[in-house]
Amino acid sequence: MTTERLTTELDDILRAGDIIRRGGLVAFPTETVYGLGANALDAEAVRSIYAAKGRPSDNPMIVHIAEKEDLEPLIRGGLASLSQDAQKAMDAFWPGPLTIIFSKSEEVPDATTGGLDTVAVRMPSNRAAYMLIAASLRPIAAPSANISGRPSPTTADDVLEDMDGRIDAIIMGEQCDVGIESTVLDLTGEVPTILRPGIITREELSEALGREVVYYNGLLEKPAETADPEDGVAETSFKPKSPGMKYRHYSPKARVILIEGNTEEFREKAKAIGIEAIHNGGKPAVLDYRGDERRAAHDLFADLREFDRQGYDLILIRTLEEEGLGFSVMNRMLKSAGYDVE
Ligand code: AMP
Ligand code: MG
């Protein structure tokens, strides 16, 4: 199939909305990363997302909405059932990079939630994303628009690198502001729990809810068993709360090693590992965000893809402090490195 290149102009967005309504696939920018969207209420359309990404079908998707009212048909009990916590989180951070887990209604197909009885919902702030959802008159299920296992795309070109010819259309917008995926907050249990860290931090959520929000266990630890990188399918009974966690993730073609330490220590270790790699015929690259977490979030996935394009086969990245946004970026860095830290 030929992938149509669309702009963020109204005519093109309306066209993209038609494609979604007809059951097609459209990649679109959001403030976090590019998403690969389909009508969330059409199981057939949603299944074609899994096919385009080569993604395991028990990996649930985030449903994107334009207005608070769009929640009504998606969640069990409708808007009237919203908890205080949900109200507060939505008031504070929607539209924006926060995904909230709710109990799902009957209308949401199993294909969208990977068979779970909960649904993940987000209201993006990106203008093109908002307009697409509004134009399609449907909630849009969208995972990141990359081949499963690869770094998430933060530019239209990165999407095309993986998806050209596999999807109906792409809205070619700007580079994503945030650069890492949304914070996923589970409000279905007793304690508000972050299943995936993002730019909205635990501290900010605790403040908005007026009570302690916790991280789900092990967000910086290697899962007991990880997926077979060859086929992306986990051969494990490991059942984490956020199913996406068990799969290999964010991997460039190059091997990634994280290096701890101050500037001096980082340089020493990177030099030693880099020289050995060169002796063995390798092509190492060095990446130091100097503790700038915001820039690390913005650039990490784009940088990993750029190093791949330039043929580097080893990427040595300096770690960040595991606090606030640093925690969230380290969650991604550790996965790309297969938890290899020197
Ligand atoms: P992606 O599609 O790449 O943006 O990833 C979506 C993330 O949201 C994955 O890590 C999923 O596991 C998580 N997620 C989506 N729906 C649910 C749900 N109902 N319960 C828990 N986690 C979810
Ligand atoms: Mg993803």
Side-chain angles (χ1 to χ4, degrees):
M1 101 180 38
T2 310
T3 300
E4 260 185 82
R5 271 77 164 157
L6 301 173
T7 70
T8 55
E9 297 296 315
L10 186 58
D11 278 2
D12 275 5
I13 300 260
L14 292 172
R15 159 120 194 97
D18 285 341
I19 296 173
I20 296 281
R21 268 199 306 283
R22 289 202 322 262
L25 297 185
V26 178
F28 62 100
T30 80
E31 65 276 22
T32 58
V33 303
Y34 272 73
L36 178 53
N39 177 359
L41 304 180
D42 176 346
E44 197 61 36
V46 167
R47 274 193 287 270
S48 64
I49 296 181
Y50 291 116
K53 277 180 66 87
R55 175 181 172 124
S57 62
D58 66 341
N59 202 343
M61 294 180 200
I62 293 169
V63 178
H64 295 71
I65 60 173
E67 312 289 345
K68 196 171 162 186
E69 289 64 39
D70 299 345
L71 262 184
E72 178 71 30
L74 303 176
I75 63 178
R76 186 152 54 101
L79 285 172
S81 73
L82 283 179
S83 65
Q84 289 274 334
D85 284 341
Q87 292 281 8
K88 288 179 186 164
M90 287 160 52
D91 287 347
F93 301 109
W94 277 11
L98 176 70
T99 296
I100 304 177
I101 309 285
F102 301 94
S103 295
K104 85 170 191 73
S105 76
E106 299 291 318
E107 300 220 12
V108 184
D110 280 347
T112 301
T113 63
L116 297 174
D117 56 8
T118 52
V119 60
V121 186
R122 176 161 112 74
M123 187 193 293
S125 60
N126 177 282
R127 180 179 160 278
Y130 167 81
M131 284 176 45
L132 173 65
I133 303 161
S136 67
L137 300 166
R138 301 285 183 278
I140 296 186
S144 49
N146 52 282
I147 297 283
S148 192
R150 303 254 306 133
S152 301
T154 54
T155 67
D157 285 340
D158 288 350
V159 174
L160 287 169
E161 187 175 71
D162 284 13
M163 291 296 161
D164 199 6
R166 301 170 75 100
I167 60 177
D168 297 286
I170 172 175
I171 297 175
M172 311 267 299
E174 308 267 283
Q175 178 162 7
C176 303
D177 281 341
V178 175
I180 58 171
E181 306 83 347
S182 58
T183 304
V184 177
L185 176 66
D186 184 2
L187 293 179
T188 64
E190 265 173 25
V191 182
T193 303
I194 293 174
L195 302 182
R196 178 174 71 186
I199 195 159
I200 295 174
T201 61
R202 189 175 80 89
E203 293 73 16
E204 289 173 301
L205 284 167
S206 298
E207 164 130 15
L209 268 50
R211 64 176 179 133
E212 201 187 22
V213 173
V214 301
Y215 285 125
Y216 189 68
N217 278 336
L219 290 179
L220 298 182
E221 284 156 34
K222 185 173 183 161
E225 286 173 73
T226 42
D228 178 355
E230 287 307 311
D231 56 18
V233 176
E235 296 166 345
T236 166
S237 56
F238 176 59
K239 277 218 170 26
K241 187 87 201 218
S242 189
M245 297 190 316
K246 74 185 177 196
Y247 298 107
R248 186 180 145 100
H249 237 125
Y250 314 129
S251 311
K253 290 174 206 131
R255 177 171 174 211
V256 178
I257 301 176
L258 303 189
I259 298 180
E260 290 175 327
N262 61 31
T263 305
E264 204 51 27
E265 290 160 345
F266 170 73
R267 282 197 192 143
E268 288 292 313
K269 287 196 233 174
K271 202 167 149 190
I273 299 171
I275 286 174
E276 196 190 325
I278 291 168
H279 275 305
N280 294 323
K283 187 176 174 190
V286 173
L287 194 49
D288 181 2
Y289 294 111
R290 296 164 187 269
D292 185 342
E293 295 150 355
R294 187 101 202 182
R295 188 165 74 84
H298 186 263
D299 292 348
L300 177 67
F301 293 144
D303 286 343
L304 293 178
R305 283 175 176 268
E306 185 55 31
F307 283 133
D308 269 355
R309 282 192 283 267
Q310 295 184 14
Y312 290 94
D313 58 9
L314 175 64
I315 307 171
L316 306 172
I317 310 180
R318 183 166 169 197
T319 55
L320 299 168
E321 295 284 341
E322 293 168 1
E323 258 174 55
L325 179 55
F327 183 97
S328 310
V329 180
M330 280 299 290
N331 167 270
R332 306 326 193 264
M333 284 186 178
L334 282 159
K335 289 183 188 196
S336 351
Y339 301 86
D340 193 350
V341 185
E342 295 282 331

